[in-house]
Amino acid sequence: MLKFLSLIQKNLVWAIPTSMIVGLIYGYLFNATPLKQFIIPVTFIMVYPMMVTLNVKTIFKGHDFKLQLVTQIINFIFVPLLVFFIGKIFLSGEAPKFALWAVGLFLIGVLPTSGMTISWTGFAKGNKEAAIKMVVFGLVIGSLAAPIFTKVFMGATIEVNMLHMFKQIAIFVFFPLFVGLLTQAVGMKKYGKKLWNEKIKPKFPPFSALGVVLIAFLAMSLKAKHIIANPGDIIIILIPLTVFYLISYILLTIVGRFFFSREDAVAMVFGVVMRDLSIALAIAMTAFGKQGMTIALLIALAYIIQIQSAAWYVKFVNYMFGAPRAKEKKTAEFRIDEKIKNPEFEKNVSMTIDIKKILFATDLSETARHAVKYACSIGNKYNAQVHVIHVVPDVLDEYSSGTGINGMNLTGKILTLQRKLSRKE
């Protein structure tokens, strides 16, 4: 099961479009209305695993204030204005559905960066610690600001019940966040930090990927008949989405090249472009009544462009910001004495070797207690394993030597006699 989910997670580029096509077929052939009852549980499956892996403590680490400030200014000032005006330009038709699609586009703009930000930043070898901070800040600020922004910008387009929207955000964001952090605390206490981080925590993200695929299936199933009856709507929706993502990539690439290092620039790009479509889709389908299905259609289609564009951007990221810096190897350096070095070596040349394991032999004396600190220090410096060995003397030999008797020789003769007796029996 977990292998299958991991396969989905690694192939979301194809899994999401496939699920949407299957949903379209299912919704056209069958009555998809009963599927509405699965929206909330599927959304929880999608959001909760992301919260379990969220490291909130990272917001207090590092010295990247400038990077975080610029990212959140773009997220909460530039992007909402951008999607608002793109909606005005491309979705200004007289039909009610145009206004609802504009609301969907705006929801994408006010609910920033999802957990996928961390994954794509890692794929592009960017600053993952900075990306985690962006997710935490964006999640909290965006969840609180979304109802207010939507009311201010889109209140004339659609009735926005801010209290109801806050309740939906509490259900789909803050409740999974609380349960996720509680799961982390209990898991670390029960299994230990190392086992939790290395073995247990990596099992959660694939379930989030499953939730994304299922929610895309639900969104398309519930609007299948309308989409098939009006295929031109897909083109109308994809145009403003393409414009939004294209402008975002161009702007962020320029800002990243001029103001930040390669790693920070990569984190900023994905910290803005990877919008939290999961939460936006959940709110659209639950906070706006019957109109929510029309709003959700645009958000569901945004998955295709967002993931496909991210995959292509990773392929060309080295052309944008250069190749990642090579990590310096942690090695121990040993100088070769000029008198014994080979002739082909130049003067003062140095050899380097990788230290993987350190064996520390101790007799448990006071001197050895001081020496172990150096062994551990070297192991920590070179990320090597430190093995401690202490030899315990044979008790029989220790006592017999004081009496002038060779206890080990005597023991050998006794064992030989026992073997002879056992054969005769």
Side-chain angles (χ1 to χ4, degrees):
M1 176 65 175
L2 194 60
K3 288 183 179 180
F4 175 71
L5 295 180
S6 297
L7 185 65
I8 293 176
Q9 183 190 18
K10 293 175 182 177
N11 294 279
L12 280 176
V13 171
W14 308 109
I16 290 177
T18 301
S19 70
M20 295 176 77
I21 293 172
V22 173
L24 199 64
I25 296 171
Y26 179 88
Y28 181 74
L29 297 176
F30 306 99
N31 178 20
T33 304
L35 295 178
K36 286 184 179 180
Q37 61 184 316
F38 296 107
I39 292 174
I40 292 178
V42 168
T43 304
F44 185 82
I45 292 173
M46 177 175 55
V47 177
Y48 165 70
M50 293 190 298
M51 303 304 185
V52 174
T53 59
L54 202 59
N55 189 356
V56 179
K57 293 181 180 179
T58 56
I59 64 175
F60 303 107
K61 297 180 181 179
H63 305 280
D64 55 355
F65 177 77
K66 177 185 174 183
L67 175 64
Q68 298 297 331
L69 180 63
V70 171
T71 302
Q72 300 313 331
I73 287 175
I74 295 174
N75 266 330
F76 293 105
I77 296 179
F78 174 77
V79 173
L81 290 172
L82 177 63
V83 292
F84 177 74
F85 286 112
I86 289 177
K88 287 288 185 183
I89 295 170
F90 294 97
L91 300 172
S92 57
E94 296 181 0
K97 61 184 178 183
F98 285 91
L100 295 177
W101 291 336
V103 173
L105 183 63
F106 190 78
L107 280 177
I108 292 173
V110 296
L111 288 165
T113 195
S114 67
M116 293 298 293
T117 294
I118 304 167
S119 301
W120 289 108
T121 300
F123 294 152
K125 294 180 172 57
N127 188 341
K128 288 181 70 175
E129 185 174 282
I132 295 171
K133 288 187 190 179
M134 292 171 188
V135 173
V136 176
F137 284 130
L139 181 68
V140 176
I141 299 172
S143 298
L144 296 174
I148 301 171
F149 275 43
T150 307
K151 179 69 175 179
V152 172
F153 283 90
M154 309 305 296
T157 302
I158 188 173
E159 182 181 351
V160 179
N161 187 332
M162 289 179 58
L163 180 60
H164 183 61
M165 198 169 174
F166 270 121
K167 288 180 179 178
Q168 297 305 311
I169 289 174
I171 293 172
F172 296 123
V173 179
F174 292 111
F175 177 67
L177 177 62
F178 170 76
V179 177
L181 296 179
L182 183 63
T183 304
Q184 280 189 44
V186 173
M188 287 185 184
K189 185 176 180 180
K190 184 176 180 180
Y191 300 104
K193 189 174 182 180
K194 184 177 180 181
L195 183 60
W196 168 263
N197 288 326
E198 294 180 0
K199 299 293 183 181
I200 301 173
K201 189 169 77 171
K203 295 181 180 180
F204 284 91
F207 288 94
S208 181
L210 174 64
V212 170
V213 170
L214 290 176
I215 204 73
F217 168 81
L218 290 175
M220 294 303 288
S221 296
L222 294 168
K223 292 294 294 181
K225 288 183 171 61
H226 174 82
I227 294 170
I228 292 174
N230 303 275
D233 288 355
I234 302 297
I235 305 299
I236 296 172
I237 290 172
L238 289 177
I239 291 173
L241 285 172
T242 303
V243 171
F244 164 64
Y245 282 102
L246 186 61
I247 292 175
S248 298
Y249 277 116
I250 293 172
L251 171 74
L252 293 164
T253 301
I254 294 172
V255 173
R257 283 180 63 92
F258 281 96
F259 297 102
F260 298 105
S261 66
R262 181 198 184 279
E263 290 73 20
D264 288 351
V266 169
M268 183 191 65
V269 170
F270 290 112
V272 174
V273 172
M274 300 306 295
R275 312 308 293 177
D276 204 328
L277 302 180
S278 304
I279 295 174
L281 193 57
I283 292 172
M285 297 174 76
T286 57
F288 295 97
K290 293 181 179 179
Q291 297 172 317
M293 291 301 105
T294 303
I295 297 172
L297 176 61
L298 181 138
I299 301 172
L301 289 173
Y303 272 112
I304 299 175
I305 296 180
Q306 179 163 292
I307 294 179
Q308 296 285 348
S309 63
W312 282 102
Y313 195 85
V314 167
K315 291 183 179 180
F316 293 102
V317 72
N318 289 349
Y319 295 99
M320 312 290 185
F321 304 114
R325 291 178 296 180
K327 293 183 178 180
E328 295 181 0
K329 282 190 174 183
K330 295 180 178 179
T331 58
E333 186 178 40
F334 296 88
R335 295 284 176 183
I336 306 176
D337 192 282
E338 289 182 12
K339 295 179 181 179
I340 61 172
K341 68 180 182 178
N342 294 328
E344 62 267 20
F345 281 90
E346 294 181 359
K347 197 172 184 178
N348 295 326
V349 74
S350 64
M351 291 180 64
T352 59
I353 62 170
D354 286 330
I355 295 179
K356 299 296 184 183
K357 294 181 181 180
I358 298 172
L359 179 62
F360 173 70
T362 177
D363 59 356
L364 303 180
S365 64
E366 188 63 28
T367 305
R369 291 179 186 272
H370 293 291
V372 72
K373 296 178 182 178
Y374 291 96
C376 292
S377 176
I378 295 171
N380 183 56
K381 182 177 180 180
Y382 298 113
N383 197 27
Q385 295 179 350
V386 178
H387 298 270
V388 179
I389 183 172
H390 172 66
V391 179
V392 179
D394 184 272
V395 178
L396 180 60
D397 184 49
E398 190 77 9
Y399 281 104
S400 63
S401 61
T403 62
I405 301 172
N406 190 338
M408 295 301 293
N409 186 38
L410 179 61
T411 303
K413 291 179 180 179
I414 293 172
L415 291 173
T416 302
L417 181 60
Q418 286 179 343
R419 282 195 291 268
K420 288 180 179 179
L421 292 172
S422 62
R423 287 196 195 102
K424 289 180 180 180
E425 291 175 357

